[in-house]
Amino acid sequence: MTTARRVVGSIAVAAALIAGSTVLATAPAAAKGEPAAAPAQAQLASWDSNVYLYYSGSSNSSWSKYGTGVNDFAGHTFAADGEGHGQNVKNNVYRAWNNDQNFRARIFYNENQNASGDAPYDDVWPGESRALNSGVQNNNASLGWYYAG
């Protein structure tokens, strides 16, 4: 092998090592004793046009999903395994995740998607996952969908 080829090969190996160490150096560091966060894109699920209503704020919370409006949650129960499984959805929703990319999910205090007078409601926008506001948290009766445009 000629000297020129060795030099070019050495430069290529050095460039690859530098590029690899730069990627490692720029990766987010986790706090001691905590797992590293997954990249944001890896945390996103594909849109399924549902809102997920959760019984509690715990990571082990039961949930139920809805893709259409509900005039009265009476008779609905949390279906998924976890804390709150089998409990009534009505007046027991703590948080929500809207996995519809075009519509906001509105959680109503009253039945029949009624927000007349001072009746509270909470809009959960596309992609949003959070605890409901104090007006409807654990005081929910119905669900409606509205274009987020």
Side-chain angles (χ1 to χ4, degrees), residues 53 64-66 68-78 87-93 106-114 139-145:
L53 303 179
S64 284
K65 68 179 181 176
Y66 297 91
T68 60
V70 177
N71 285 329
D72 192 346
F73 283 121
H76 293 244
T77 58
F78 288 100
Q87 295 292 316
N88 291 323
V89 172
K90 188 171 186 174
N91 297 327
N92 279 317
V93 174
R106 181 172 286 178
I107 312 298
F108 292 90
Y109 175 84
N110 289 326
E111 291 89 359
N112 301 313
Q113 304 171 33
N114 181 351
N139 281 310
N140 57 287
S142 60
L143 164 71
W145 289 96

Side-chain angles (χ1 to χ4, degrees), residues 55-149:
Y55 176 78
S56 72
S58 81
S59 60
N60 186 36
S61 178
S62 184
W63 51 267
S64 284
K65 68 179 181 176
Y66 297 91
T68 60
V70 177
N71 285 329
D72 192 346
F73 283 121
H76 293 244
T77 58
F78 288 100
D81 289 337
E83 178 187 358
H85 173 78
Q87 295 292 316
N88 291 323
V89 172
K90 188 171 186 174
N91 297 327
N92 279 317
V93 174
Y94 178 82
R95 64 185 171 104
W97 170 40
N98 184 356
N99 198 31
D100 186 290
Q101 62 185 336
N102 298 309
F103 291 85
R104 66 186 189 269
R106 181 172 286 178
I107 312 298
F108 292 90
Y109 175 84
N110 289 326
E111 291 89 359
N112 301 313
Q113 304 171 33
N114 181 351
S116 61
D118 291 330
Y121 63 86
D122 194 358
D123 287 335
V124 183
W125 291 84
E128 190 175 34
S129 178
R130 61 174 173 77
L132 296 178
N133 69 36
S134 62
V136 296
Q137 188 178 80
N138 297 323
N139 281 310
N140 57 287
S142 60
L143 164 71
W145 289 96
Y146 299 88
Y147 184 64

Side-chain angles (χ1 to χ4, degrees), residues 1-14:
M1 186 182 265
T2 66
T3 304
R5 285 188 181 167
R6 282 189 205 148
V7 170
V8 170
S10 297
I11 292 172
V13 169

